Amino acid sequence: MGGTALVLGSGGVTGIAWQWGVLAGLADAGVDLTTAGLVVGTSAGSIVGAQVACGVPVEQRYAAQLAAPDGELPARVGRVVLARWAWAALRSRTAAEVGARVGRLALAARTVPEAERRAVIAARLPVHEWPRDRQLLITAVDAATGAFTVFHRHRGVPLVDAVAASCAVPCVWPPMTVGGVRYIDGGARSPVNADLAAGHRRVVVLAPSPQGFGPVVSVARQVAELRRQGARVVVVSPDAAAREAFGGNSLDPARRAHAARAGRAQAPAVADAVAQVWK
């Protein structure tokens, strides 16, 4: 088996900030997750994962979460969108069917232009080149077929494009075109896609949104399989204080600083459990 894997999940703007807070708080406690040999990023986690894998200092990115959210585009996943996602899941037997159904909704939705959304993603990433000293996997879903896609350095896709695809929340942001194919959020297949860490001995999962729905597999199910295969795994999800800090809209940039502070405040309570796996 391989060594260490850090899996970073979906969760919107607040999920990004919370993950940076947790990473910073764990570093305070002497647990440095940025040494992971494998980094897996889905949606919000692709933003964080790309920077972790590229060696961007955690404290620098934590501080960025506390700054005014200039350049961000406010958004909300409304009840109608949630209902459409749920209906797509209830009608589907596989995650690929969910992705195809949700993808059709996303392709038909009115959103900002792709270029405008890509510019926001590019501004979030201080480094735009794939890392060469470790493995980074970024997840997305083909909007037309629902097929699960994993981007990595050897596919020849620009890092910003891969991350933008992974963050393309259906019906909120436009499906992103990469190599002539339009993609939606990797969370349409799983909130964390932790199964990509198979073969690694020690796995830490930061999951802002751990629940699955219908064929979209939950974090718990994927982690149970990793453990069955012999991996030591710990999952960190937002505590009650963090969930309150997120507010009712995970895509609200105004909640970013609150979420980051909540993540850092939560870290000491989970540091021992994480250290037992990581060290």
Side-chain angles (χ1 to χ4, degrees):
M1 297 182 78
T4 54
L6 174 61
V7 180
L8 302 159
S10 59
V13 173
T14 55
I16 294 170
W18 174 82
Q19 288 178 85
W20 283 122
V22 171
L23 290 170
L26 289 173
D28 293 339
V31 185
D32 182 8
L33 297 184
T34 67
T35 61
L38 168 68
V39 179
V40 178
T42 292
S43 194
S46 73
I47 292 280
V48 180
Q51 295 172 77
V52 166
C54 290
V56 178
V58 169
E59 200 61 45
Q60 177 192 105
R61 297 315 300 163
Y62 174 78
Q65 308 311 304
L66 307 182
D70 298 332
E72 292 284 351
L73 300 173
R76 173 181 289 276
V77 178
R79 293 181 179 178
V80 172
V81 171
L82 287 172
R84 287 176 176 171
W85 291 356
W87 180 238
L90 289 171
R91 295 171 60 202
S92 303
R93 292 176 295 177
T94 67
E97 288 183 13
V98 175
R101 286 193 166 99
V102 173
R104 284 195 291 272
L105 294 172
L107 290 167
R110 292 185 177 181
T111 63
V112 300
E114 286 188 54
E116 186 174 347
R117 175 61 176 165
R118 188 186 188 279
V120 171
I121 299 300
R124 290 180 183 170
L125 300 176
V127 178
H128 290 182
E129 300 297 326
W130 288 91
R132 295 188 175 274
D133 61 345
R134 75 182 81 193
Q135 189 177 21
L136 170 64
L137 304 179
I138 301 296
T139 69
V141 170
D142 186 316
T145 67
F148 183 51
T149 299
V150 181
F151 294 111
H152 49 75
R153 177 167 62 91
H154 299 292
R155 289 196 57 171
V157 170
L159 179 59
V160 173
D161 288 351
V163 172
S166 190
C167 293
V169 181
C171 305
V172 176
W173 304 123
M176 301 301 294
T177 303
V178 182
V181 178
R182 300 192 75 189
Y183 292 95
I184 58 172
D185 197 303
R189 189 254 189 178
S190 160
V192 297
N193 294 295
D195 55 327
L196 294 180
H200 288 73
R201 295 188 187 90
R202 294 171 286 156
V203 182
V204 174
V205 180
L206 302 188
S209 302
Q211 294 81 17
F213 56 94
V216 177
V217 181
S218 68
V219 175
R221 283 178 56 189
Q222 290 186 332
V223 166
E225 178 60 21
L226 289 175
R227 288 174 176 152
R228 189 193 66 79
Q229 296 170 8
R232 298 170 62 190
V233 188
V234 62
V235 179
V236 181
S237 293
D239 60 13
R243 292 193 297 272
E244 183 176 355
F246 290 0
N249 178 15
S250 66
L251 301 179
D252 183 2
R255 304 302 302 178
R256 192 172 69 184
H258 302 287
R261 293 190 181 98
R264 194 161 202 163
Q266 181 182 349
V270 301
D272 286 347
V274 174
Q276 288 178 18
V277 167
W278 204 248
K279 297 183 177 181

